[in-house]
């Protein structure tokens, strides 16, 4: 899920209990979830999504490596061939006020930046001191920065990595709280 339109959200893709799907559900600025919208794009699960450009969103990676942009009115665009190493079980967040970053997953510590026009960059290898892991969570904070946290690197971890307003992922910060995987994260406050 991610935001779009500056004040709305969208859920997309996943598994409905019997099959992998590509349907989406828009969320109004009053928090009302709309009925299913027939999916656009390749069915997949275990992908990530984030905002970019100030009012748009992007779904990317997952079990089938594709990217789908979301317009500022919640329209999901057709598949764009994935750039970077295909992987699932990753996380994504905004940074820099109008850009995004996908990171970790697939047992890696790679990241892929998203420009303010929705272009996904090739892999950026994280430097030493960054733990490769699956199923972390990520969110933005401080209006222009991001953070990846928790996950599974062979065992549950509580490690976090800050993302600067230029999209640079910092080395591990010793975890605070209970080590766990598959959490969710969101920013709050204004």
């Amino acid at each position: 899920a991610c935001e779009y339109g500056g004040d709305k959200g969208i859920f997309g893709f996943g598994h409905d209990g019997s099959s992998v799907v590509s349907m989406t559900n828009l969320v109004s600025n009053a928090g009302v979830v709309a009925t299913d919208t027939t999916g656009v794009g390749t069915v997949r699960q275990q992908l990530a999504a984030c905002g970019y450009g100030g009012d748009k969103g992007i779904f990317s990676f997952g079990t089938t490596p594709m990217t789908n942009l979301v317009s500022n009115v919640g329209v999901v665009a057709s598949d764009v061939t994935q750039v970077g190493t295909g992987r699932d079980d990753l996380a994504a967040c905004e940074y820099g006020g109008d850009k995004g970053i996908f990171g970790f997953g697939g047992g890696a510590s790679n990241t892929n930046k998203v420009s303010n026009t929705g272009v996904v960059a090739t892999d950026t290898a994280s430097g030493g001191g960054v733990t490769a892991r699956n199923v972390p969570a990520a969110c933005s904070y401080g209006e222009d920065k991001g953070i990846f946290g928790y996950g599974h690197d062979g065992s549950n971890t509580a490690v976090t990595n800050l993302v600067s307003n230029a999209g640079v992922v910092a080395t591990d910060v010793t975890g605070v709280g209970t080590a766990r995987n598959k959490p969710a994260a969101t920013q709050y406050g204004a």
Side-chain angles (χ1 to χ4, degrees):
C2 66
E3 64 181 292
Y4 76 90
D7 63 352
K8 293 171 273 304
I10 183 170
F11 293 94
F13 303 91
H15 196 284
D16 69 3
S18 62
S19 62
V20 180
V21 298
S22 64
M23 71 184 66
T24 59
N25 300 83
L26 299 179
V27 181
S28 75
N29 60 4
V32 177
V33 179
T35 58
D36 295 345
T37 298
T38 302
V40 172
T42 300
V43 299
R44 60 197 187 275
Q45 61 184 341
Q46 297 166 276
L47 64 162
C50 66
Y52 77 91
D55 63 353
K56 292 170 273 305
I58 182 171
F59 290 98
S60 200
F61 296 92
T63 52
T64 302
M66 291 289 171
T67 293
N68 300 87
L69 300 180
V70 180
S71 76
N72 61 356
V73 294
V75 175
V76 178
S78 301
D79 292 343
V80 173
T81 303
Q82 179 61 61
V83 173
T85 301
R87 59 197 188 276
D88 54 15
D89 294 332
L90 70 163
C93 65
E94 292 181 57
Y95 77 91
D98 63 353
K99 292 171 272 304
I101 186 168
F102 290 87
F104 301 92
S109 62
N110 295 340
T111 60
N112 300 81
K113 294 179 185 176
V114 180
S115 75
N116 60 1
T117 60
V119 176
V120 180
T122 58
D123 296 345
T124 297
S126 296
V130 177
T131 299
R133 58 196 185 271
N134 293 325
V135 292
C139 66
S140 56
Y141 76 93
E143 297 182 14
D144 64 352
K145 292 172 276 301
I147 184 170
F148 289 94
Y150 301 91
H152 192 273
D153 66 349
S155 61
N156 290 340
T157 183
V159 165
T160 58
N161 302 89
L162 300 179
V163 180
S164 75
N165 60 4
V168 176
V169 177
T171 57
D172 293 350
V173 173
T174 302
V176 174
T178 302
R180 58 197 187 272
N181 69 77
K182 300 180 186 176
T186 186
Q187 74 179 66
Y188 71 94

